[in-house]
Amino acid sequence: MLQFPWLLTGVVIVEVMFRYQGFGFTLFEAAGNNDIDLLLGCSLVSVFIVLITQLISDIGYAYLNPRIRVQ
C-alpha cells in the first residue's frame, strides 16, 4: 500500500513510452494540450487514491501490530 504513489508515477512513464491508452497517457496528453480541467481532475483522483491507500495501510498496521494502540 505504501508503494502506491510510485505505481502511479510508473504508470505515467510506461503508458507514455508504450503508447497505452490509460490514466497516465491521459494525464500526459492533458499536460501537452494545456487542458487544465482534465489535469485538475486527474490530480484529484490520484491524490484521493493515494490518501485512501495510505489510510488503509495505517489502519491495517495498527490492527496487525498489537504494540501500536491509540490511547
Side-chain angles (χ1 to χ4, degrees):
M1 287 287 182
L2 295 176
Q3 298 299 324
F4 202 79
W6 289 99
L7 180 65
L8 282 177
T9 305
V11 163
V12 173
I13 294 169
V14 169
E15 287 182 2
V16 169
M17 284 180 58
F18 296 110
R19 304 288 295 174
Y20 292 142
Q21 303 294 318
F23 183 75
F25 187 76
T26 302
L27 187 62
F28 182 77
E29 288 295 314
N33 294 332
N34 290 331
D35 190 357
I36 302 300
D37 293 332
L38 186 57
L39 279 172
L40 288 174
C42 288
S43 298
L44 184 67
V45 168
S46 61
V47 166
F48 181 72
I49 289 172
V50 168
L51 286 176
I52 292 297
T53 56
Q54 295 292 322
L55 180 67
I56 290 170
S57 175
D58 289 342
I59 291 172
Y61 184 71
Y63 179 73
L64 294 175
N65 191 351
R67 294 178 291 175
I68 308 295
R69 294 288 174 225
V70 177
Q71 295 181 13

